[in-house]
Amino acid sequence: MNERQRLLINRDQLDDVQWHSEALPSPADGQVLLAIDNFALTANNITYAAFGDALQYWEFFPAPVGSGIVPVWGFADVVASNCDGIEVGERFYGFYPLASHLLVEPAQVSDTSFTDNAEHRRSLPVIYNQYLRTSSDALYDADREAVQMLLRPLFTTSFLLDDFFADQAMFGARELHLTSASSKTAIGMAFCLQHNRANRDADYAIVGLTSARNKAFVESLDCYDRVVTYDEAATLGNQTPSAIVDFAGDGTLLRTLHEQLGDSLRYSCLVGASHWDQRAGAGPDMPGPDPVMFFAPHQAEKRISEWGGERFAQHLADQWQAFCEFAGGWMEIDASEGREAIAQTYQQVLAGNFSPRSGYVLSKFSCQ
């Protein structure tokens, strides 16, 4: 392929997309050109787009005015290098544009990773700017690349959410209500909350809220203490100190929960936007504490400063391995390739029209 292909998203209308082709850049001194081999598409990527302005996700991979490029997690191979310490043919896991290639300016090159030091990325969270060599990544398994692409970034958020709530003594809550309970990030948090509960002083119940269509699936996971459909949300009790972790992004649902939980609500946490187009439904003057957006890199940076990078990585790795075993029992990987498949899958995930068991892995931009 002698050109770079990018899927451009209309930032004001996320279902308006078009492919754009341009000349393939050549790396200058200190630069490296990566060819993106495969990547995952999940509801997490829709969250990146929905909060592209508020959380600076559009800034990672610049696009023409009015357009954005959705970030994805995946693997890429070095196809050209003018940087000491990085060789053609090496493979890296990391944060990529929904595009065929990425030009980077590596800094802090080590045996395990490098950081993209491109000027437009220097002020952005380092956790997104780091690229890991598969040859030395402790979590890498060549036979489980699809699982890593699909679940590693989501589970990292899940792990950090669980740690954040534990760090805050659950905000005094004894019931944690997780919306979009069938989403992989919510499942990961529920898994961590359950996995770690026995070693904590806090006693809490994990309540999953989901659609009637997905209730049986969520119950089958056995990581929620109770599963409630959205239609049943108004029947939740308000006698137990509670917290909301909102992965759905449905403003009307969020308001219903705030009103129903009333004075028992201790904390309201915004994470994802599975229903990205319904966030505004919450309206003004919602009762209870103001919802607070959770930004995973902040908790990661806090823990790395307190624990050190090695201890942080070990804690994450231990729970990641356990979660992978758990996920192997229910996740079904759906792999496809080519530009048409990529655009169609993006629209499908954007519309929320997929089974919670499905994990989409895409590759081969050159296939039509």
Side-chain angles (χ1 to χ4, degrees):
M1 183 188 297
N2 57 6
E3 62 182 11
R4 176 168 62 179
Q5 301 171 29
R6 303 184 295 170
L7 187 65
L8 300 183
I9 313 296
N10 182 336
R11 290 165 59 160
D12 295 323
Q13 186 177 337
L14 299 184
D15 60 353
D16 179 13
V17 304
Q18 62 177 335
W19 284 102
H20 179 263
S21 299
E22 60 189 4
L24 194 63
S26 297
D29 287 345
Q31 294 184 328
V32 168
L33 183 64
L34 294 154
I36 298 161
D37 180 35
N38 48 27
F39 61 93
L41 262 181
T42 71
N44 196 43
N45 303 106
I46 305 307
T47 297
Y48 293 154
F51 295 106
D53 290 313
L55 296 181
Q56 300 181 292
Y57 285 115
W58 294 132
E59 296 183 22
F60 284 93
F61 309 113
V65 174
S67 298
I69 300 175
V70 173
V72 295
W73 291 90
F75 293 93
D77 301 308
V78 177
V79 292
S81 176
N82 277 328
C83 177
D84 291 340
I86 298 179
E87 304 297 330
V88 170
E90 290 196 84
R91 191 167 179 81
F92 288 87
Y93 168 77
F95 198 60
Y96 294 105
L98 210 170
S100 62
H101 294 79
L102 175 64
L103 188 67
V104 294
E105 299 180 20
Q108 303 174 34
V109 178
S110 71
D111 292 339
T112 59
S113 65
F114 72 82
T115 299
D116 186 5
N117 195 43
E119 184 175 357
H120 69 277
R121 296 182 70 166
R122 291 172 192 168
S123 63
L124 299 173
V126 69
I127 194 171
Y128 294 121
N129 291 339
Q130 190 175 54
Y131 293 84
L132 306 178
R133 296 180 195 265
T134 59
S135 59
S136 55
D137 180 3
L139 300 189
Y140 178 73
D141 181 340
D143 294 329
R144 299 174 75 174
E145 281 195 351
V147 173
Q148 179 168 332
M149 288 185 288
L150 285 162
L151 296 182
R152 184 169 176 173
L154 305 180
F155 183 72
T156 300
T157 298
S158 303
F159 167 83
L160 291 167
L161 272 165
D162 170 76
D163 180 68
F164 171 69
F165 271 81
D167 198 24
Q168 301 296 327
M170 304 296 162
F171 295 94
R174 290 183 20 236
E175 282 189 351
L176 302 177
H177 298 82
L178 280 58
T179 70
S180 195
S182 66
S183 70
K184 295 174 180 65
T185 314
I187 292 170
M189 183 182 183
F191 175 85
C192 289
L193 286 166
Q194 184 191 72
H195 183 78
N196 296 322
R197 181 161 48 188
N199 297 319
R200 290 174 174 160
D201 293 334
D203 180 23
Y204 50 82
I206 310 159
V207 181
L209 289 103
T210 189
S211 65
R213 179 187 65 182
N214 290 333
K215 185 178 183 181
F217 165 72
V218 174
E219 288 177 330
S220 74
L221 297 171
D222 289 330
C223 58
Y224 294 95
D225 298 307
R226 183 157 53 108
V227 179
V228 178
T229 67
Y230 294 136
D231 291 340
E232 299 166 336
T235 68
L236 291 171
N238 58 6
Q239 304 302 310
T240 304
S242 300
I244 297 168
V245 189
D246 181 29
F247 297 91
D250 184 332
T252 301
L253 171 64
L254 187 62
R255 172 173 278 277
T256 296
L257 292 174
H258 271 246
E259 291 175 344
Q260 179 62 29
L261 296 173
D263 293 339
S264 71
L265 185 59
R266 300 292 186 265
Y267 192 76
S268 182
C269 179
L270 304 181
V271 183
S274 297
H275 302 283
W276 57 274
D277 54 344
Q278 299 175 36
R279 173 68 78 189
D285 303 322
M286 191 162 54
D290 290 337
V292 179
M293 177 65 69
F294 177 76
F295 192 47
H298 291 168
Q299 184 67 14
E301 290 164 5
K302 177 180 185 293
R303 282 309 198 195
I304 289 171
S305 69
E306 293 172 348
W307 295 346
E310 186 174 343
R311 181 183 170 195
F312 174 84
Q314 188 59 56
H315 277 295
L316 176 59
D318 289 345
Q319 295 193 52
W320 162 251
Q321 297 299 339
F323 184 68
C324 283
E325 293 299 320
F326 165 71
W330 54 266
M331 190 172 69
E332 299 169 352
I333 295 172
D334 185 333
S336 55
E337 57 187 45
R339 295 199 317 180
E340 183 176 345
I342 291 168
Q344 287 179 348
T345 303
Y346 168 79
Q347 296 287 5
Q348 189 174 352
V349 175
L350 180 69
N353 183 26
F354 58 94
S355 164
R357 295 182 182 275
S358 297
Y360 295 107
V361 174
L362 298 149
S363 62
K364 293 188 170 63
F365 287 84
S366 58
C367 295
Q368 304 301 315

